[in-house]
C-alpha cells in the first residue's frame, strides 16, 4: 500500500453466531482500517479523527493512547482472525477517556479463549464534520434492549434506538460504523443497525429519509445484557485528500 493512504473497508454481510451460521443481516457493522504509514500506533487524520493499529491483542486488556485529545471519543474497532480455525471473537472497549481507552478480545459470550492478533480502530470526537470532502459525524446512544434470535427482545424493530434525529448532516450515500463502547456487562454484545423498518435493511436503505436505528445484539444466544452505550460514525462515501492524506 502507498504510504499515507487510509483504507476503510466495510461490507454488508451477515452476523455470525457461535456455530458460524448467519444470524442477522447487518449493515455496515464491520470495519477494517489499514494504515500503511506505520504497522502499529496512531495515525492522525484531523484534529477530530484518527486511526490506530494495536498489535498482538488477546484476552488481556491493553491500554491504547490517542494522538488527539477528545471531548467525547467514539471508537469503532475490528480485528482479523489469524486463521480460519481460530474462534471468532469481538473487540471489547473499556475505560474510554479523552486520551486513551482499553481494548481486548473476547469470545462470546464470555470466554478468554481467543487468538492474539492486531486490532484496528477509528476514533472520532462526537460531533459533525465536513472538510475537503471528508464528511462524517460521530454520535452515541444508550442501548437498553438486547436483540437476537433467542434474546429477550428478539428482533423487534421497535426496541431498537432510533438515532435519525441525532444526525445534523444529510448523506446521499452514508456508511455506518458502530461499536459497543462500554463494559457494563462482562458478557459481550455487538452493534448492529438498520433502517428502522426491517432488520435486514441497511440504514438509509431507500435514501437518507429512511433513517437509522441501532442496537446491540447477541446473535443466537439467549438472554439479555446490561445497558451499554453504543458509538457510531456515519461517513459519506467519497474520495479525496485532507491534510495531505488521501482517503477513500
Amino acid at each position: 500500500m502507498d504510504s499515507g493512504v487510509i483504507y476503510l473497508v466495510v461490507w454488508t454481510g451477515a452476523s455470525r453466531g457461535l456455530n458460524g451460521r448467519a444470524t442477522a443481516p447487518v449493515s455496515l457493522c464491520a470495519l477494517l482500517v489499514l494504515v500503511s504509514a506505520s504497522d502499529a500506533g496512531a495515525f492522525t487524520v484531523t484534529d477530530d479523527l484518527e486511526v490506530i493499529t494495536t498489535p498482538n491483542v488477546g484476552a488481556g486488556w491493553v491500554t491504547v493512547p490517542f494522538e488527539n485529545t477528545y471531548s467525547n471519543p467514539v471508537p469503532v474497532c475490528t480485528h482479523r482472525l489469524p486463521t480460519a480455525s481460530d474462534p471468532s471473537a469481538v473487540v471489547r472497549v473499556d475505560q474510554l477517556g479523552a486520551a486513551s481507552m482499553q481494548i481486548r478480545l473476547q469470545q462470546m459470550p464470555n470466554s478468554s479463549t481467543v487468538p492474539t492478533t492486531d486490532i484496528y480502530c477509528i476514533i472520532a470526537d462526537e460531533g459533525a464534520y465536513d472538510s475537503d470532502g471528508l464528511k462524517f459525524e460521530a454520535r452515541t446512544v444508550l442501548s437498553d434492549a438486547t436483540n437476537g434470535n433467542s434474546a429477550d427482545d428478539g428482533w423487534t424493530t421497535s426496541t431498537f434506538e432510533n438515532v435519525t434525529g441525532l444526525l445534523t448532516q444529510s448523506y446521499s450515500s452514508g456508511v455506518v460504523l458502530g461499536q459497543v463502547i462500554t463494559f457494563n456487562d462482562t458478557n459481550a454484545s455487538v452493534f448492529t443497525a438498520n433502517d428502522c423498518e426491517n432488520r435486514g435493511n441497511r440504514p438509509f436503505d431507500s435514501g437518507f429519509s429512511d433513517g437509522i436505528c441501532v442496537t446491540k445484539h447477541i446473535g443466537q444466544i439467549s438472554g439479555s445484557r446490561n445497558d451499554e452505550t453504543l458509538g457510531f460514525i456515519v461517513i459519506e462515501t467519497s474520495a479525496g485528500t485532507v491534510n495531505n492524506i488521501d482517503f477513500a
Side-chain angles (χ1 to χ4, degrees):
M1 293 184 296
D2 296 333
S3 178
V5 180
I6 299 172
Y7 297 85
L8 304 180
V9 181
V10 190
W11 71 91
T12 57
S15 301
R16 299 286 166 179
L18 297 181
N19 57 8
R21 291 183 296 171
T23 62
V26 295
S27 175
L28 307 169
C29 296
L31 164 67
L32 175 60
V33 181
L34 301 179
V35 183
S36 59
S38 61
D39 292 333
F43 189 83
T44 301
V45 183
T46 70
D47 290 341
D48 306 294
L49 181 70
E50 67 186 271
V51 289
I52 299 175
T53 302
T54 305
N56 303 319
V57 179
W61 288 108
V62 175
T63 299
V64 179
F66 301 149
E67 286 290 297
N68 294 328
T69 300
Y70 299 98
S71 298
N72 189 17
V74 179
V76 180
C77 302
T78 192
H79 70 99
R80 184 171 50 186
L81 287 176
T83 69
S85 61
D86 285 314
S88 60
V90 299
V91 179
R92 301 299 308 270
V93 174
D94 196 14
Q95 303 298 317
L96 179 61
S100 67
M101 65 180 175
Q102 290 186 329
I103 57 174
R104 58 167 286 197
L105 286 178
Q106 182 174 324
Q107 185 181 168
M108 291 186 72
N110 188 5
S111 170
S112 59
T113 302
V114 295
T116 298
T117 188
D118 297 347
I119 291 182
Y120 309 96
C121 300
I122 180 171
I123 298 95
D125 211 0
E126 186 162 18
Y129 309 92
D130 189 354
S131 176
D132 295 324
L134 181 59
K135 182 180 180 180
F136 69 96
E137 59 189 284
R139 303 295 176 191
T140 61
V141 67
L142 182 69
S143 172
D144 58 8
T146 302
N147 297 101
N149 284 14
S150 302
D152 288 1
D153 294 305
W155 286 112
T156 305
T157 305
S158 62
T159 63
F160 284 41
E161 304 294 334
N162 190 328
V163 295
T164 308
L166 296 180
L167 302 180
T168 60
Q169 300 182 132
S170 62
Y171 301 86
S172 59
S173 185
V175 172
V176 180
L177 315 170
Q179 172 82 42
V180 177
I181 62 173
T182 50
F183 195 78
N184 297 333
D185 200 315
T186 55
N187 289 330
S189 57
V190 294
F191 173 92
T192 190
N194 63 28
D195 68 346
C196 303
E197 297 174 3
N198 186 306
R199 71 181 179 91
N201 292 344
R202 296 171 294 180
F204 323 122
D205 193 54
S206 59
F208 182 71
S209 61
D210 205 24
I212 171 176
C213 285
V214 301
T215 191
K216 62 184 187 296
H217 82 87
I218 54 176
Q220 298 185 31
I221 300 172
S222 61
S224 64
R225 296 289 184 269
N226 295 335
D227 295 356
E228 300 277 14
T229 299
L230 306 179
F232 63 98
I233 303 171
V234 181
I235 306 175
E236 183 72 280
T237 301
S238 62
T241 301
V242 59
N243 293 334
N244 295 318
I245 301 169
D246 296 331
F247 66 88

